């Protein structure tokens, strides 16, 4: 999902709207068999403590390499999978794979998995999470699910109930891409998120000195603090951006400055290395 800032207003637009109909049709057909063809894998991006630089965990990010089209960006194929109602089976594969891979690392690094609204509007999703944990042996507190505000925008209470049951399993929740959606803040009062992830558009804006972006990060940090939640600044690319978000009080940081999304074996090596100095909560 790309964002751009203009006139102090942050716009979110859906990249699939710009895809030609023919390209979408071809990609959708290819997506239907991508998992079973073994074309999907996960990369893991480090998340670190903003103050100490200690590794706290990783975010699992889905990668698709098609034999003909090559690497297709998740910013392109995830929205397409959501629209074509293919995200549930793909997301289930992501969850199982992330749990299996992280369980074998044998270090206490936390693993965050992105979950689409569609998955949370299915009551059976709780069982899918429980099964992924049971089959992998991953401790529930090592798993974090990242959801976006859009999950609260649809009619009905199914997603809220599913989130409650996931919390009851001992799994953590974080609120992804915060500030780019259009929902109210009310849900923050009744769903226990462990952390709020502040979208990269604000991080960039703040380091450029944009007053509005700075004000928004400040407000989100204050809100999170008073609700007992952590804040993660997303997409930190430079030392300046790191300094800025640290000064604004973000507790965790993630971005190319600290590490790109890594293949599983490299992530495991990093986790093992970091756990020599123990992985921080
Ligand atoms: P996200 O969950 O907000 O993930 C963060 C995105 O920012 C990732 O893009 C990551 O590679 C990128 N990123 C991290 N650090 C930096 C940085 O310093 N600079 C810049 N420019 N980018 C940075 P990626 O991997 O292309 O994924 C894009 C989006 O696709 C994700 O955004 C998420 O919404 C979605 N996605 C990825 N994997 C999954 C998945 O397994 N399931 C679902 N439902 N969505 C996924
Ligand atoms: Mg995410
Ligand atoms: Mg994010
Ligand atoms: Mg983001």
């Amino acid at each position: 999902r790309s964002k751009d800032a203009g006139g102090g207003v942050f716009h979110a637009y859906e990249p699939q709207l710009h895809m030609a109909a023919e390209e979408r049709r071809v990609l959708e057909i290819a997506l239907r068999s991508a998992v079973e063809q073994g074309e999907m894998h996960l990369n893991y991006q480090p998340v670190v403590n903003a103050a100490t630089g200690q590794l706290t965990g990783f975010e699992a990010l889905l990668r698709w390499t098609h034999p003909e089209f090559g690497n297709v960006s998740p910013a392109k194929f995830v929205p397409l999978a959501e629209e074509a109602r293919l995200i549930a089976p793909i997301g289930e594969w992501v969850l199982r794979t992330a749990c299996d891979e992280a369980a074998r690392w044998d270090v206490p690094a936390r693993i965050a998995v992105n979950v689409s609204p569609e998955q949370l509007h299915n009551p059976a999703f709780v069982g899918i999470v429980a099964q992924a944990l049971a089959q992998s042996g991953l401790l529930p507190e090592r798993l974090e699910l990242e959801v976006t505000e859009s999950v609260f925008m649809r009619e009905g209470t199914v997603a809220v109930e599913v989130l409650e049951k996931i919390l009851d399993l001992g799994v953590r929740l974080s609120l992804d891409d915060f500030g780019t959606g259009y929902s109210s803040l009310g849900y923050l009062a009744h769903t226990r998120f462990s952390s709020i992830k502040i979208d990269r558009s604000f991080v960039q804006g703040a380091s450029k000195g944009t007053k509005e972006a700075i004000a928004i990060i400040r407000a989100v940090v204050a809100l999170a603090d008073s609700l007992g939640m952590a804040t993660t600044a997303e997409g930190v690319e430079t030392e300046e951006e790191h300094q800025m978000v640290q000064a604004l009080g973000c507790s965790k940081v993630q971005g190319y400055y600290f590490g790109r999304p890594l293949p599983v074996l490299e992530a495991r090596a990093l986790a093992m290395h970091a756990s020599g100095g123990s992985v921080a909560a």
Side-chain angles (χ1 to χ4, degrees), residues 94-110:
V94 170
L95 188 66
R96 275 192 277 109
T97 305
C99 289
D100 287 346
E101 292 185 333
R104 276 187 254 122
W105 294 354
D106 207 31
V107 289
R110 190 163 290 146

Side-chain angles (χ1 to χ4, degrees), residues 134-145:
Q135 288 182 348
S136 63
L138 189 77
L139 293 174
E141 62 263 29
R142 283 187 53 199
L143 180 64
E144 181 170 303
L145 300 184

Side-chain angles (χ1 to χ4, degrees), residues 59 114 146 176-177 197 199 234:
E59 177 176 1
N114 292 285
E146 295 194 0
D176 205 356
D177 301 334
K197 300 190 77 170
D199 193 71
E234 295 194 272

